[in-house]
Amino acid sequence: MDMVLTLILLPIIASILLLMLPNQRAQYVVITAVLFFLGIGAFSLYTSMGLLTFQLSHTMNLAIVAADVLLLLFFLYQGRVFNHPKVMALAAVQLVLYGYIELIAPESGSAEIMVDSLSKFMFLIINGVGGIIVLYSVKYMEDEPASPLKKRLFVGGLLVFLSVMNLIVIANSILLFFFLFEMTTLASYLLIAFRDDDVSRANALKALWMNQIGGVVILLGALVAIIGFKTVMFDTLLQSSGGMVLFSIALLSMAALVKGASIPFEGWLLGAMVAPTPVSAMLHSATMVKIAPYLILKLAPALAVSMVGGIISIIGALVFVAASYLALSRSVLKEILGYSTVALLGLMMALAAIGSEESMNLAMALMLFHALSKALLFLSAGVLERLHHAKDIEDMKGMVTRSPKTVGFILFGFVSLTLPPFGLFMGKLFAISSIAALLKEHPSNLIILLSLIVGSALMVLLYFKVASALLSAPSDIRASEAIAIPNGFNVPLVLLSFFIVIGALGYIMLQHNIFVVLLALPMLFVFALPTLIRRMDRYDRSQPYHCGEKESFNAALVYYEPSLKLQRILYWGFGSLFVAVAIVGALS
Amino acid sequence: MKFFTPFRKKSPWVLHYNAGSCNGCDIEILASLAPKYDLERFGVINTGNPKQSDIFLVTGPVTYRSRERLVELYSQIPEPKVVVAVGSCTATGGVFRGMYNVEDGIDRYIPVDVYVPGCAASPQLIIDALVKGLEVLEAKSKEIEKPFKLFGAIETIHNKLSRLNMATKVEPHAKD
Amino acid sequence: MIWVWIALAPILGGLVYGGERVLRARMQRRQGPPILQPFYDMFKLLDKRTLIVHAPHALLAVAHFFVLWFSVAAIFLGWNLLYIIFLHLFAQLLLILAGYSVRSVYSHIGSNRELLMVVAYEPILILVAVGLYLVSGSFEVSQILKSGGYLTQLPLLFAALLMIVPIKVKKSPFDVGEAHQEIVGGVEIEYSGVFYEFLYMSRFLEYIFIYSFIYLFGGESHWLGALLVAGVFLLVNLVDNATARVRPAQMVKIIYTVAMALAVFNLAGVLL
Ligand code: SF4
């Protein structure tokens, strides 16, 4: 338990320290130390056995209730200040619901805090990836046009957010979970609005009201649980059967769909891309949105063979395809990454909701590797934004000559998302074979299989389309006018790449399958290529072929824009599927 | 290597370029590639890509607009290579000779190995010329061949031979 | 013994390619090149001066060839079909990256189209693997070849596979990736000499790769497999001579509507 407490308290202490330390070097020292301890703590917890439980005292519970009410009042106030009726309405609804629930809530039965193996796994993602992102953000914020205090608040805020995340994955009480869920919503809201211009504000409010829908459905779920089973604990709820249990579970998993920004809620996550890059990396791809698959994984025992689980996995799988497709029409790098995050979250939820042991393991593996790869990609995008002022992939043409190393990191990120032997690819591969094995019993999985296959193909198209913009060097004999990456950016990127490789190796070793190891062979060959480059001097360098013209051309990027009609169909379709989750839950 | 040299004449890949011809000879070249005369018997492929070609089939008298492209394409064909000038106008300017906008034959710009007479050159002659070109091809070495005019520079940068500027641009309005 | 076959795979593919050129010539009533023509071409390419644009571009073609060879070897060794498909994808992506890495319009367009081709055929290949799995109970090629009856149970899936063969061997109506008359060979364009040779040989391997999938449908009967391969080979060349090229978008559309529907319909039929 001490270890868990460390994970929760250490970031808070560190953030207070940071606020008092103006010196950048000192900041680095603090963050590195924190990162080190968090990493060690998370890892040793991950390797430890057993279930830890903890009961909150009465005063603590009261404090949480008070904080929760304050939080909702703050949302209400924000809605009033910015005159946003949706925010106000949803906050008010939550206030009423929450008040009512606290009135009828039973005295707590089992422990509010429970650390199981899933939470331990989540610690690994949150502290490992999150810590690296905090490290990166110090350098990133240096050039931000904001006051020094605000910058330090930003970094401190990210650290506090880590401890919120650490807490949310061990919450066993639905009400505690709700509170922390709202805390993450608050974090999104504040950090998206960080730059405080019109666009940021509008997008932040959008994120606020959409996420509050999640809050409402959690509360509804809790209400059903209380009325039906007199409990607000996840574990008791999951153990009970019959009656309204599936309805409650369905409502809770709808919250996951909202947090995971499944279509039609993907708007908030894309809007979040106006925030500083570490925010996008931390909240909107690597850690916070992982609550979605986490929640589904937590509920998986109940979802496993039910209609609700079926419909959620179908939604997830369809989102995987649809979001990959929609991404093809975008040109801002971070938005493209955002869409692909939405897509992959859909896939993870689909796998989690299938609920077989194997698919759940796969969902977890995907979560880890996705967090690593996406963090790497986002941080590299941030480097391009800072050093080359390029956000749009149209501005990144030929970036490889200007910033070869960053492009290398981005390409590595893409490769780690699509090719063997990296974790994410392996996850998809095993997913195909495990779903195929399930096909005979559940033919409906054919939809998921099909979406998985088509979605992966579309993702390849997406990533390599972006790669096309970055590459294209005229020749290798001109002196390059490359800008070096400062160490503040370089170290986190190298760390992430290192972990991707280590993760892939570990994952391969776990399979005990000689063929899987062999899949890694081609990669070795590719890595060996650079050493061959020196031997290439004896070949003549020549101009690319341009029909005999001397001028070099600029190749255009291809965008695949879905028609308006199709988009409308998509949104209505996914909207009704979302509602259908509740209906199916109520009926079964 | 000696061993591979005989195979040069077994697989001549051609690049066809129209340097301002009247299209008469182009049609004949296509005719000789088409089923009736079937140049593919000799292993000929019309690649349309200088970097993979051995034989440069040029038609037309070289108009001002096409000078630069002609030399650029020539410089992009890897050695050993053979240039075949198809049609009278390619050799001497033919019916276009002395016109204000033509250069009277491609051999003012690039070295020609085989000339094909005729306005238009007949497919049989073109095939003959190709076969003749193959003999030349086999005898050639792998030394870099340079154009006569518009030749820029072949430099060595960081130990690498650069042909990037082998063909220069025509200065605007410079007539010679 | 199997290693000899693997080592000979490019030569085998070269013979198939040479045979195909003769066959196509005969279909057009001409004599055509000698059957060993691909090898003459290869030897000639070795004897050329080599021009490259930049070193990584050239080396990626070499990597492409070897990874492709590896995936063909995996078929011969009887590995898991899914691994084979993804190894092949790997090889393809190396080539696509190479195409993007030079500042040349044709190369870029070629890579774009190559990507679209991957998007088109990849799902069908995986569905074929899943179909074979459902009937035989294993993804392993060696196991698949031990049972039979694929053709009777998966006729529509076979038709879907037939539709993607022209994409892989770059034949009309789906030869958008090469399209010599429009984009002068696409990704191949900037290669010459030795490095083009690797691409030229990987074309041979592609033949082996895709026709192996056809062969799998024969199951335990080698005769049936060989017959299928021969039949498909003839059919593909016939179609190549008789049709015009479609646009890339149309190609994806056709595959996604017709071939995908056939495959899914067939799989659903097997399952229910
Ligand atoms: S030689 Fe005569 S037919 Fe041939 S291109 Fe010249 S003008 Fe035309």
Side-chain angles (χ1 to χ4, degrees):
Chain A
M1 202 63 224
D2 292 346
M3 209 58 121
V4 179
L5 261 183
T6 324
L7 286 186
I8 292 163
L9 291 182
L10 190 63
I12 298 184
I13 298 169
S15 75
I16 294 170
L17 258 178
L18 271 190
L19 281 185
M20 297 185 298
L21 285 174
N23 183 338
Q24 203 191 36
R25 172 130 345 128
Q27 288 184 357
Y28 269 123
V29 171
V30 170
I31 291 176
T32 322
V34 169
L35 175 59
F36 183 71
F37 284 117
L38 284 182
I40 294 213
F43 195 76
S44 60
L45 264 176
Y46 180 65
T47 46
S48 72
M49 294 301 235
L51 198 77
L52 298 171
T53 53
F54 186 71
Q55 198 136 16
L56 293 181
S57 68
H58 193 65
T59 34
M60 268 162 128
N61 268 326
L62 271 184
I64 288 174
V65 172
D68 215 343
V69 171
L70 271 180
L71 191 62
L72 290 173
L73 282 175
F74 176 73
F75 287 164
L76 199 61
Y77 170 71
Q78 289 292 315
R80 244 199 77 95
V81 170
F82 298 104
N83 200 9
H84 202 291
K86 279 183 200 152
V87 171
M88 274 199 288
L90 284 165
V93 168
Q94 286 182 89
L95 260 179
V96 173
L97 270 175
Y98 186 67
Y100 181 63
I101 287 174
E102 280 297 341
L103 272 183
I104 63 166
E107 273 307 306
S108 56
S110 53
E112 278 97 343
I113 289 196
M114 189 147 84
V115 187
D116 53 8
S117 55
L118 179 59
S119 332
K120 288 175 186 164
F121 181 73
M122 292 300 289
F123 281 151
L124 217 55
I125 298 180
I126 295 165
N127 298 299
V129 181
I132 295 177
I133 294 171
V134 175
L135 190 64
Y136 170 94
S137 66
V138 177
K139 178 77 192 163
Y140 184 88
M141 292 316 282
E142 213 173 65
D143 302 334
E144 187 74 22
S147 71
L149 180 69
K150 213 175 161 193
K151 287 181 196 174
R152 268 181 280 153
L153 269 177
F154 177 87
V155 181
L158 285 183
L159 275 170
V160 173
F161 174 75
L162 275 188
S163 74
V164 171
M165 280 302 294
N166 277 334
L167 206 51
I168 200 169
V169 294
I170 54 175
N172 187 31
S173 148
I174 299 180
L175 291 177
L176 181 59
F177 183 81
F178 166 74
F179 168 62
L180 294 163
F181 188 90
E182 292 294 296
M183 281 294 281
T184 58
T185 305
L186 175 72
S188 282
Y189 172 69
L190 290 179
L191 289 170
I192 296 172
F194 180 79
R195 282 181 176 152
D196 209 17
D197 46 29
D198 288 346
V199 187
S200 310
R201 185 57 67 183
N203 288 346
L205 285 168
K206 192 182 198 177
L208 186 55
W209 77 259
M210 281 192 175
N211 274 306
Q212 279 184 310
I213 296 180
V216 172
V217 286
I218 293 182
L219 285 177
L220 286 175
L223 195 63
V224 173
I226 293 173
I227 294 172
F229 308 98
K230 302 243 169 311
T231 178
V232 284
M233 298 301 158
F234 278 113
D235 58 343
T236 344
L237 181 65
L238 288 174
Q239 277 153 17
S240 31
S241 59
M244 302 291 269
V245 66
L246 268 177
F247 186 36
S248 172
I249 301 271
L251 286 168
L252 288 172
S253 29
M254 280 162 78
L257 289 177
V258 175
K259 207 47 154 187
S262 298
I263 305 172
F265 299 104
E266 98 285 15
W268 78 261
L269 195 125
L270 294 178
M273 296 306 159
V274 296
T277 305
V279 178
S280 313
M282 176 97 114
L283 276 71
H284 305 121
S285 97
T287 60
M288 187 184 78
V289 287
K290 294 286 186 299
I291 296 176
Y294 162 76
L295 187 54
I296 302 278
L297 276 172
K298 203 172 170 75
L299 302 174
L303 286 174
V305 276
S306 65
M307 278 283 278
V308 181
I311 194 164
I312 291 208
S313 53
I314 286 176
I315 292 180
L318 291 178
V319 164
F320 182 52
V321 181
S324 320
Y325 179 53
L326 288 176
L328 288 172
S329 63
R330 293 307 169 117
S331 73
V332 179
L333 180 56
K334 273 166 78 179
E335 278 186 16
I336 291 174
L337 295 179
Y339 259 123
S340 87
T341 304
V342 171
L344 282 163
L345 285 173
L347 178 62
M348 289 171 220
M349 285 193 266
L351 285 174
I354 289 176
S356 74
E357 164 122 30
E358 200 181 353
S359 69
M360 279 167 70
N361 281 337
L362 283 173
M364 280 160 75
L366 283 185
M367 251 153 99
L368 176 64
F369 293 119
H370 175 258
L372 286 168
S373 298
K374 268 294 153 56
L376 176 68
L377 284 172
F378 266 109
L379 298 188
S380 313
V383 174
L384 289 186
E385 194 184 317
R386 271 286 179 259
L387 298 184
H388 302 275
H389 309 287
K391 284 185 179 173
D392 200 295
I393 51 175
E394 292 287 344
D395 304 332
M396 292 183 188
K397 286 192 182 150
M399 192 52 98
V400 69
T401 49
R402 282 182 282 160
S403 190
K405 229 171 156 185
T406 324
V407 171
F409 281 123
I410 294 184
L411 282 185
F412 179 68
F414 287 159
V415 164
S416 73
L417 285 168
T418 42
L419 285 182
F422 294 105
L424 214 89
F425 164 81
M426 287 300 181
K428 281 185 208 163
L429 176 68
F430 296 139
I432 292 175
S433 49
S434 82
I435 294 176
L438 287 176
L439 270 182
K440 282 248 161 82
E441 298 137 54
H442 309 285
S444 68
N445 280 349
L446 192 57
I447 302 177
I448 300 170
L449 182 73
L450 203 62
S451 318
L452 178 56
I453 298 171
V454 174
S456 310
L458 287 177
M459 285 242 154
V460 169
L461 177 59
L462 174 67
Y463 293 138
F464 285 84
K465 185 191 107 176
V466 178
S468 83
L470 300 169
L471 291 170
S472 84
S475 78
D476 60 353
I477 54 179
R478 300 229 176 101
S480 71
E481 62 271 32
I483 305 179
I485 317 179
N487 266 340
F489 290 147
N490 205 0
V491 171
L493 293 178
V494 171
L495 272 179
L496 281 171
S497 319
F498 175 72
F499 283 127
I500 291 176
V501 173
I502 292 288
L505 286 180
Y507 198 50
I508 289 175
M509 291 306 166
L510 280 181
Q511 302 307 320
H512 299 298
N513 183 343
I514 179 76
F515 295 120
V516 180
V517 179
L518 286 174
L519 275 187
L521 268 183
M523 205 30 107
L524 286 184
F525 184 75
V526 173
F527 281 132
L529 282 183
T531 55
L532 292 174
I533 284 185
R534 245 174 295 131
R535 310 198 48 195
M536 302 290 287
D537 282 359
R538 57 201 162 113
Y539 301 111
D540 303 5
R541 300 303 196 268
S542 93
Q543 199 83 280
Y545 172 68
H546 293 305
C547 300
E549 300 285 340
K550 292 288 286 180
E551 286 79 21
S552 66
F553 290 80
N554 210 349
L557 289 169
V558 192
Y559 296 95
Y560 307 87
E561 185 93 39
S563 64
L564 271 180
K565 200 172 132 207
L566 187 64
Q567 282 182 23
R568 210 170 303 139
I569 293 175
L570 274 180
Y571 281 101
W572 280 104
F574 279 110
S576 38
L577 274 175
F578 180 71
V579 178
V581 175
I583 297 172
V584 169
L587 292 181
S588 56
Chain B
M1 261 191 285
K2 263 273 146 304
F3 171 75
F4 295 119
T5 314
F7 291 101
R8 284 183 191 170
K9 67 168 186 247
K10 290 204 169 248
S11 109
W13 291 3
V14 305
L15 171 68
H16 166 204
Y17 179 62
N18 173 339
S21 89
C22 78
N23 281 164
C25 290
D26 300 315
I27 291 170
E28 301 303 329
I29 288 177
L30 291 182
S32 56
L33 283 163
K36 182 162 183 195
Y37 292 99
D38 191 20
L39 259 180
E40 205 189 352
R41 301 177 269 157
F42 302 105
V44 167
I45 295 179
N46 187 6
T47 58
N49 176 356
K51 300 194 166 178
Q52 294 152 13
S53 305
D54 311 289
I55 296 190
F56 194 21
L57 282 183
V58 191
T59 61
V62 191
T63 55
Y64 282 0
R65 292 283 297 185
S66 66
R67 292 170 293 181
E68 216 176 281
R69 284 99 184 141
L70 177 75
V71 177
E72 176 73 28
L73 287 177
Y74 177 77
S75 74
Q76 284 186 2
I77 303 178
E79 288 79 10
K81 59 188 169 192
V82 159
V83 179
V84 178
V86 181
S88 306
C89 69
T90 322
T92 63
V95 288
F96 302 113
R97 191 176 176 86
M99 266 170 69
Y100 67 96
N101 63 340
V102 301
E103 287 281 346
D104 300 347
I106 63 169
D107 50 6
R108 297 188 172 197
Y109 281 84
I110 55 178
V112 175
D113 298 288
V114 185
Y115 295 91
V116 186
C119 181
S122 69
Q124 290 94 332
L125 267 180
I126 294 175
I127 294 173
D128 272 356
L130 265 176
V131 174
K132 183 81 193 154
L134 292 180
E135 284 165 26
V136 184
L137 189 66
E138 205 184 347
K140 280 204 172 179
S141 76
K142 282 163 76 176
E143 281 307 299
I144 294 181
E145 293 181 63
K146 298 164 187 157
F148 297 142
K149 283 186 193 168
L150 294 183
F151 172 66
I154 298 173
E155 339 159 59
T156 316
I157 306 172
H158 313 310
N159 276 336
K160 304 171 188 108
L161 197 71
S162 160
R163 294 166 69 127
L164 258 53
N165 298 316
M166 193 167 153
T168 51
K169 276 174 91 104
V170 177
E171 293 306 320
H173 307 301
K175 182 175 167 17
D176 63 336
Chain C
M1 186 54 203
I2 201 72
W3 293 101
V4 178
W5 279 112
I6 291 171
L8 289 181
I11 297 179
L12 199 67
L15 281 176
V16 175
Y17 180 56
E20 186 191 73
R21 276 174 75 175
V22 176
L23 180 74
R24 273 172 59 201
R26 294 296 149 81
M27 279 178 174
Q28 295 164 355
R29 295 216 191 167
R30 52 192 177 89
Q31 188 190 343
I35 196 157
L36 291 179
Q37 184 63 41
F39 302 103
Y40 299 158
D41 293 345
M42 277 164 57
F43 289 143
K44 174 208 69 179
L45 284 170
L46 279 177
D47 194 31
K48 296 280 284 182
R49 216 183 157 89
T50 302
L51 313 181
I52 63 177
V53 178
H54 53 72
H57 175 247
L59 285 173
L60 278 171
V62 182
H64 165 71
F65 171 74
F66 281 108
V67 178
L68 196 60
W69 201 351
F70 188 45
S71 75
V72 169
I75 300 183
F76 283 15
L77 290 172
W79 283 14
N80 190 319
L81 258 188
L82 288 177
Y83 297 175
I84 293 166
I85 293 172
F86 285 112
L87 275 175
H88 181 260
L89 171 72
F90 193 152
Q92 222 56 33
L93 288 180
L94 288 176
L95 186 61
I96 288 167
L97 274 184
Y100 281 139
S101 74
V102 286
R103 194 164 286 170
S104 154
V105 242
Y106 296 111
S107 192
H108 268 252
I109 298 178
S111 274
N112 279 341
R113 291 188 175 189
E114 206 78 37
L115 262 181
L116 280 179
M117 282 156 60
V118 169
V119 171
Y121 69 73
E122 191 74 13
I124 304 289
L125 275 187
I126 298 178
L127 284 177
V128 166
V130 171
L132 292 173
Y133 167 79
L134 286 178
V135 176
S136 73
S138 169
F139 276 115
E140 311 277 316
V141 171
S142 48
Q143 295 298 317
I144 290 173
L145 284 177
K146 279 196 187 118
S147 51
Y150 303 114
L151 216 48
T152 47
Q153 289 205 51
L154 305 167
L156 297 180
L157 197 61
F158 184 69
L161 178 61
L162 257 185
M163 287 182 68
I164 63 164
V165 174
I167 305 184
K168 269 301 30 179
V169 297
K170 300 204 171 136
K171 293 267 169 274
S172 283
F174 299 140
D175 57 344
V176 293
E178 189 180 56
H180 252 288
Q181 298 83 340
E182 304 172 47
I183 57 168
V184 217
V187 277
E188 299 172 356
I189 188 165
E190 297 302 338
Y191 289 100
S192 68
V194 195
F195 296 102
Y196 183 62
E197 171 142 7
F198 281 106
L199 280 188
Y200 202 54
M201 284 195 293
S202 53
R203 170 196 296 247
F204 306 161
L205 289 176
E206 292 279 12
Y207 277 76
I208 303 277
F209 177 81
I210 194 71
Y211 282 114
S212 312
F213 273 81
I214 303 276
Y215 181 81
L216 285 184
F217 274 80
E220 54 194 341
S221 152
H222 294 295
W223 285 109
L224 182 58
L227 202 69
L228 279 179
V229 170
V232 171
F233 185 68
L234 265 178
L235 182 69
V236 166
N237 281 300
L238 203 63
V239 172
D240 176 43
N241 272 329
T243 53
R245 179 183 315 130
V246 299
R247 273 176 306 174
Q250 284 173 329
M251 174 189 77
V252 177
K253 214 178 226 168
I254 293 173
I255 297 292
Y256 267 60
T257 47
V258 184
M260 195 80 99
L262 285 175
V264 170
F265 195 64
N266 202 160
L267 285 185
V270 171
L271 287 172
L272 298 176

